[in-house]
Amino acid sequence: DMGRYDKIMFTGSPRVGKIVMQAAAQHLTPVVLELGGRNPCIVDRSANITVAAKRIAWGGMINAGQLCVRPNHIMVHHDVADKFLSELKKALDSFYAGKPQDSENFGRMVSKAATSRLQAVLDKDKAFIVYGGETDVEQRYIAPTLLDFGNDRKAFEQSEAMTDELFGPILAIYRCVDFEECLSLIKADEKPLAMYCFTEDTKQSDTLIKRTSCGGIVINDCVAHLSNTNLPFGGVGNSGTGSYHGKYSFTAFSHEKAVLRKTCAMDPPQRYAPQNASAKRLLRILVNPTIAYYFEALFVKKNFAILFLLIVLLRKGVWPHRRRLH
């Protein structure tokens, strides 16, 4: 029993998020759920391949890949796939001097269980390993690893690496025919917490923004939106609900209570039954939110003469009409 709370905030997996949401529903308690997901990354042929490779390598290996917004898999245009893969390997070599297990800049998995889980992924997808792949469960070590599925979409979609969020230093790579294929792969999956696209083609990035749904999109970088407090951070659908960071955190944990103060200085009888035709006309005007606002302002400013004239005109059925020009 979670008891009664004003709001519950949870960060974790979609599986546990459903449990939290179900428990909160017993008391109709609102929730903010920041969940995970398979965050896709697109590398278009117009992209700056060298910069894209370095930024993806950085974003994918932060904290040994244990970050909810890390790029999970990469869809790269087949025309630039070989160059991209080569640059990605160069970037990883330069980050960890070719020896990530001995590098103070590369972390370890949170537990032996987490290490064993990723070791099982690599065992099943070992035919696609083109970089890294070394493991040491006792040291909780998983080497920075690249899986290249080429243009075999079936192998990519049915791979162990794509069955769940990796949450580790493994990047799965698929060589797409075109941008439309990337979109079809994204739409076939659950809505992710984050999405990344490296391109110099503004039309393509705009298309991605308009035709997909996710927690957040970054163009030509990875993870960077996480530290920008001017942006809301949160998921959608399977990747969560609600958002926070900066002013959005204040809003997330606040209730916007409606307060209306009315004056009793004047109480038009047209409001109450029985109502004649002119009274109904007045009410139709006053229920308009914009007109109601200015009607209330008349009392505040004590412009009773204007209000009185308005009521007299309505009661007499006199109202200025525009002349039709012939």
Side-chain angles (χ1 to χ4, degrees):
D1 183 8
M2 299 185 70
R4 291 187 177 275
Y5 296 91
D6 292 325
K7 181 159 282 189
I8 296 172
M9 168 79 187
F10 171 76
T11 299
S13 69
R15 180 184 66 83
V16 180
K18 292 175 183 177
I19 296 172
V20 172
M21 197 170 192
Q22 185 177 34
Q26 303 304 311
H27 303 286
L28 297 179
T29 301
V31 296
V32 175
L33 303 178
E34 191 260 281
L35 310 177
R38 293 183 289 274
N39 305 315
C41 179
I42 296 174
V43 180
D44 180 50
R45 59 182 169 184
S46 68
N48 183 319
I49 300 301
T50 301
V51 173
K54 287 192 293 186
R55 292 182 178 180
I56 292 170
W58 171 79
M61 302 303 164
I62 294 175
N63 196 36
Q66 297 164 107
L67 188 68
C68 58
V69 292
R70 73 177 291 269
N72 183 81
H73 53 281
I74 306 164
M75 295 169 287
V76 55
H77 194 284
H78 65 90
D79 286 351
V80 295
D82 288 336
K83 181 180 179 182
F84 171 75
L85 196 57
S86 175
E87 292 294 330
L88 196 57
K89 292 176 181 178
K90 287 180 184 178
L92 292 172
D93 284 340
S94 67
F95 289 173
Y96 312 116
K99 297 180 179 180
Q101 192 166 4
D102 300 326
S103 174
E104 63 178 10
N105 297 306
F106 187 73
R108 294 295 184 268
M109 299 303 296
V110 68
S111 66
K112 290 183 180 180
T115 310
S116 297
R117 177 182 64 83
L118 290 182
Q119 185 179 52
V121 171
L122 295 178
D123 287 343
K124 292 182 180 180
D125 290 341
K126 61 183 177 181
F128 303 99
I129 297 175
V130 294
Y131 184 91
E134 298 81 16
T135 64
D136 188 330
V137 175
E138 289 302 313
Q139 289 192 19
R140 296 178 286 112
Y141 172 74
I142 299 289
T145 302
L146 304 178
L147 303 173
D148 182 9
F149 292 91
N151 60 0
D152 191 340
R153 179 166 175 169
K154 183 177 180 181
F156 173 68
E157 292 183 307
Q158 296 181 358
S159 67
E160 189 67 19
M162 289 298 291
T163 57
D164 201 356
E165 179 185 9
L166 285 167
F167 209 69
I170 302 171
L171 288 170
I173 302 167
Y174 173 66
R175 303 176 184 224
C176 285
V177 175
D178 54 26
F179 195 74
E180 285 298 322
E181 186 179 16
C182 294
L183 291 176
S184 69
L185 282 165
I186 291 171
K187 290 184 177 182
D189 204 354
E190 294 282 2
K191 296 178 180 180
L193 182 60
M195 193 182 303
Y196 307 110
C197 180
F198 289 82
T199 180
E200 296 299 321
D201 187 337
T202 305
K203 288 184 179 179
Q204 285 198 343
S205 58
D206 287 346
T207 297
L208 182 69
I209 293 168
K210 291 175 183 177
R211 292 176 57 185
T212 60
S213 178
C214 64
I217 292 181
V218 180
I219 307 300
N220 290 325
D221 208 343
C222 290
V223 186
H225 65 302
L226 193 63
S227 62
N228 189 326
T229 56
N230 294 313
L231 295 174
F233 176 66
V236 58
N238 196 66
S239 59
T241 180
S243 60
Y244 60 111
H245 281 192
K247 68 176 182 179
Y248 302 98
S249 294
F250 183 84
T251 302
F253 293 96
S254 301
H255 170 66
E256 297 184 37
K257 178 169 60 180
V259 177
L260 175 64
R261 295 182 185 274
K262 299 279 287 184
T263 179
C264 295
M266 196 168 185
D267 192 28
Q270 289 87 351
R271 173 177 178 174
Y272 307 106
Q275 294 161 333
N276 56 25
S278 62
K280 292 178 180 179
R281 283 198 297 272
L282 176 62
L283 288 175
R284 278 196 294 269
I285 293 173
L286 295 183
V287 294
N288 183 298
T290 303
I291 294 177
Y293 170 79
Y294 288 107
F295 181 80
E296 187 72 19
L298 289 174
F299 287 108
V300 175
K301 296 177 181 179
K302 295 182 172 57
N303 293 325
F304 295 113
I306 298 174
L307 178 61
F308 179 76
L309 179 60
L310 174 64
I311 294 173
V312 169
L313 290 172
L314 288 171
R315 293 194 65 174
K316 291 183 175 297
V318 179
W319 193 255
H321 296 281
R322 291 182 180 177
R323 286 188 174 183
R324 297 182 64 183
L325 298 177
H326 298 282

